[in-house]
């Protein structure tokens, strides 16, 4: 059978299967997760968005570090077990252990002029989750096969992409194949939770533009510890970052290690947070994982060329009538406090974000809006030498998505009916400077960098984009579509089955 006929046959069978399968356990996780804008999308289109919605309405306490252990996971599993069983499942008689394995399939069309490609993507994998005694775990592992219209395909999700095929050979199909996974293993105890994961952490009250750790970063391997003492929550993280954007580059034989702490004080409607980050180049100091170690002080005990640090402060205040206001300020480096006020040289590296959220529930519907502004000065996340201790992974910042020398305004409207229909309408106004200091690998090493002027948004042009998105999901399948117009030209239409 001809290759194109095989693909058409597969698509018909797949779409038929999507609408014929019934009764399966939903994609419940032992953790409250971030949204996934790229690969490994789930049945739930925007789990973090509606987690923040519930925080804004006051239905759950304010807490802003994700992924986060889901303390209700076991009760949720048992309550939904009667609605349908996964394909492979096991439940202990005393409810102390559970294992569920669900195959998944998906097809999507994505790309656009910004990527210079149109992609037909096919994916299949396993969603495994369960618990035993004090351990909760989940693993989402998938294999992907894609057909591309571009002669030189690029990675849509910014991770490794392997291309096959040769267009010079008549009849040969150009395609790519790769695998991806995310997963968590949590060990609960009376004094805290120890976790091991591959994911993109999101710390802070913002949805779009958190400055320290942002859900739009490329996922990386990490270890976390979290504990609560009254109103205080402490989170400690170690992350294994990659130096070069190409994962197989010899630059990645060297190491880039991330240590981060978050301290949250929750006083009902007021939440105050502190994030501190240290990145070590070709150097590793496990002592920095200890939660009581102040990283912004301890980093002074290591060679300056081999370490980079940042400190941020955030606050979130719930207001009457469904409003929440929040802000974050990040300090990457400074010559002196007055230099931040003058803001006239490249040593003044800082960023600021502020937002306003509104959320309302009525009947089976949830709706709301989020507006955020962020400003990131030139050279933020950078370091003295390129490809060393930048606050980045695989060539992309782990903080604000647009990186240094950028300004962004995001405004989102959203609505949801139960767990089925979701609609979103997003707008973005974005400015990105083009001069030196706009890239994470632009260095701050000059003859006298304390006197070297910086130019915020030099060469920047405003780009406006409009992105409507719609999705429909059930316990066993989901379909969705989103399109970006004007300043961004991108699209993704998707169908997914899980049983």
């Amino acid at each position: 059978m001809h290759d194109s006929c095989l693909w058409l046959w597969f698509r018909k069978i797949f779409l038929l299967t999507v609408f014929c399968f019934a009764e399966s356990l939903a994609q419940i996780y032992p953790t409250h997760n971030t949204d996934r804008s790229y690969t490994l999308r789930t049945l739930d289109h925007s789990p973090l968005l509606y987690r923040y919605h519930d925080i804004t309405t006051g239905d759950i306490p304010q807490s802003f570090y994700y992924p986060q252990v889901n303390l209700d996971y076991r009760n949720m599993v048992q309550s939904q077990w009667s609605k349908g069983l996964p394909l492979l499942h096991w439940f202990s008689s005393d409810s102390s252990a559970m294992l569920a394995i669900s195959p998944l399939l998906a097809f999507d069309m994505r790309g656009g002029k910004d990527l210079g490609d149109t992609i037909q993507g096919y994916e299949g994998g396993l969603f495994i989750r369960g618990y035993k005694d004090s351990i909760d775990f989940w693993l989402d592992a998938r294999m992907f096969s894609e057909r591309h219209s571009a002669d030189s395909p690029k990675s849509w999700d910014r991770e490794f992409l392997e291309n096959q095929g040769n267009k010079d050979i008549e009849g040969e199909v150009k395609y790519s194949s790769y695998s991806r996974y995310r997963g968590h293993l949590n060990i609960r105890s009376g004094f805290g939770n120890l976790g091991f994961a591959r994911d993109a952490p999101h710390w802070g009250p913002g949805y779009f533009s958190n400055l320290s750790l942002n859900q739009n970063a490329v996922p990386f391997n990490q270890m976390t510890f979290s504990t609560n003492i009254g109103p205080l929550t402490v989170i400690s993280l170690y992350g294994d970052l990659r130096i070069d954007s190409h994962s197989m580059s010899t630059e990645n034989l060297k190491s880039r290690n991330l240590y981060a702490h978050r301290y949250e004080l929750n006083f009902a409607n007021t939440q105050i947070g502190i994030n501190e980050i240290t990145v070590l180049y070709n150097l590793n100091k496990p002592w920095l994982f200890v939660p009581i170690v102040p990283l912004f002080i301890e980093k002074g005990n290591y060679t300056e060329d081999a370490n980079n640090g940042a400190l941020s402060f955030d606050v979130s205040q719930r207001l009457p009538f469904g409003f929440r206001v929040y802000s974050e300020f990040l300090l990457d480096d400074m010559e002196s406090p007055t230099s931040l006020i003058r803001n006239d040289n490249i040593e003044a590296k800082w960023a600021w974000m502020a937002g306003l959220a509104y959320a309302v529930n009525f009947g089976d519907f949830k709706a709301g809006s989020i507006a955020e502004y962020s400003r990131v000065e030139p050279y933020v996340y950078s370091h003295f030498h390129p490809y060393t201790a930048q606050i980045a992974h695989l060539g992309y910042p782990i903080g604000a998505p647009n990186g240094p020398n950028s300004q962004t305004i995001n405004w989102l409207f959203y609505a949801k009916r139960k767990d089925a229909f979701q609609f979103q309408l997003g707008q973005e106004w974005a400015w990105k400077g083009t001069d030196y200091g706009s890239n994470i690998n632009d260095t701050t090493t000059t003859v006298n960098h304390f006197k070297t002027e910086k130019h915020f948004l030099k060469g920047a042009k405003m780009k406006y984009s409009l992105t409507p998105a719609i999705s429909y999901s059930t316990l066993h399948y989901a379909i969705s579509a989103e399109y970006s117009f004007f300043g961004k030209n991108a699209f993704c239409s998707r169908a997914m089955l899980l049983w």
Side-chain angles (χ1 to χ4, degrees), residues 17 19 44 56 74 97 131 171 281 287 307 338 386 396 422 459 483:
T17 305
F19 291 98
D44 188 346
T56 302
R74 301 187 185 196
Y131 57 81
Y281 168 67
W287 172 251
N307 83 85
T338 57
Y396 294 89
Q422 292 190 40
Y483 296 86

Side-chain angles (χ1 to χ4, degrees), residues 474-494:
T474 70
L475 290 177
H476 49 278
Y477 69 85
I479 54 176
S480 63
E482 62 185 66
Y483 296 86
S484 295
F485 302 98
F486 308 119
K488 287 183 180 179
N489 187 293
F491 63 89
C492 180
S493 301
R494 177 174 177 81

